[in-house]
Amino acid sequence: MRKLTFAMNMSLDGYIAAPGDDLGWSVPSDELFQWWSDRVAATGLALYGRRLWETMSSHWPTADQQPDATPAAIEYAGRWRDMPKVVFSTTTGTVDGNARLVTGDAVTEITRLKAGDGEPMDIGGATLAAAAMRGGLIDEYAIVTHPVLVGGGTPFFTALDNWVNLTLMETRTFPDGVVLTRYETKP
């Protein structure tokens, strides 16, 4: 069975994007950017919701070809392109690169993917992750908390019908007061 992790940046008040989908508060330090890059390299399959896919696919396929691309951005872009991806959307017609599109029920497909063999999977995008949370499919939460209050926007967590008990696996502090906490779901 494959492990599924929900890993995202989060404001201290619990949002992955501020109103208007503003992500300006979550610019990573070099050390945090390397952590994200290493995470992409270790991910066997990334599951994206439509909006996160649009954000990532509008930048990373050619980010390493930009004249101001740093060595870290070049490394991340290559890793991101190489990582297999599944995009879940009922409104997107096609996806390109190393991705395939799923237009059917997300929980059914994620359940099928988890049941197979393979490297760990990451899930990203608030709506998609919320469906996986409600379906009890997430094995780990990797929360990268930034010391900012954005006051609203897209929440990291969704409303749940039942409690989800967690075990703390790791804490780590990055520059600028950013804190990583990793939790594993208890059976």
Side-chain angles (χ1 to χ4, degrees):
M1 177 167 280
R2 297 174 93 167
K3 179 179 178 180
L4 181 62
T5 300
F6 180 31
M8 294 285 290
N9 290 303
M10 181 179 82
S11 65
L12 188 59
D13 54 350
Y15 297 96
I16 61 173
D21 290 331
D22 185 353
L23 300 173
W25 55 270
S26 63
V27 175
S29 65
D30 291 344
E31 184 180 340
L32 178 57
F33 188 76
Q34 187 63 55
W35 181 85
W36 281 114
S37 184
D38 293 344
R39 180 157 196 86
V40 166
T43 299
L45 181 64
L47 312 179
Y48 283 101
R50 178 191 53 83
R51 286 192 304 171
L52 182 58
W53 168 252
E54 289 173 353
T55 298
M56 298 296 282
S57 67
S58 70
H59 179 71
W60 288 110
T62 59
D64 56 345
Q65 299 164 20
Q66 302 305 312
D68 60 345
T70 65
I74 292 168
E75 176 184 66
Y76 184 93
R79 288 175 169 181
W80 187 85
R81 276 193 310 270
D82 291 345
M83 179 181 57
K85 296 168 269 304
V86 176
V87 179
F88 293 82
S89 176
T90 58
T91 58
T92 300
T94 61
V95 294
D96 53 7
N98 197 8
R100 72 176 177 88
L101 179 64
V102 172
T103 58
D105 182 66
V107 171
T108 300
E109 179 64 8
I110 295 167
T111 300
R112 186 188 73 75
L113 291 168
K114 278 191 64 159
D117 292 328
E119 297 296 317
M121 300 185 302
D122 269 10
I123 189 167
T127 303
L128 181 62
M133 274 187 232
R134 285 189 300 275
L137 298 173
I138 297 179
D139 302 300
E140 180 183 330
Y141 293 88
I143 306 165
V144 180
T145 306
H146 293 254
V148 60
L149 303 173
V150 299
T154 306
F156 185 98
F157 293 103
T158 189
L160 298 170
D161 295 329
N162 299 301
W163 292 9
V164 176
N165 293 310
L166 306 170
T167 301
L168 180 65
M169 297 169 49
E170 177 186 7
T171 60
R172 179 174 170 186
T173 303
F174 290 93
D176 304 321
V178 174
V179 177
L180 164 69
T181 49
R182 289 180 47 233
Y183 296 92
E184 185 174 69
T185 58
K186 289 183 179 178

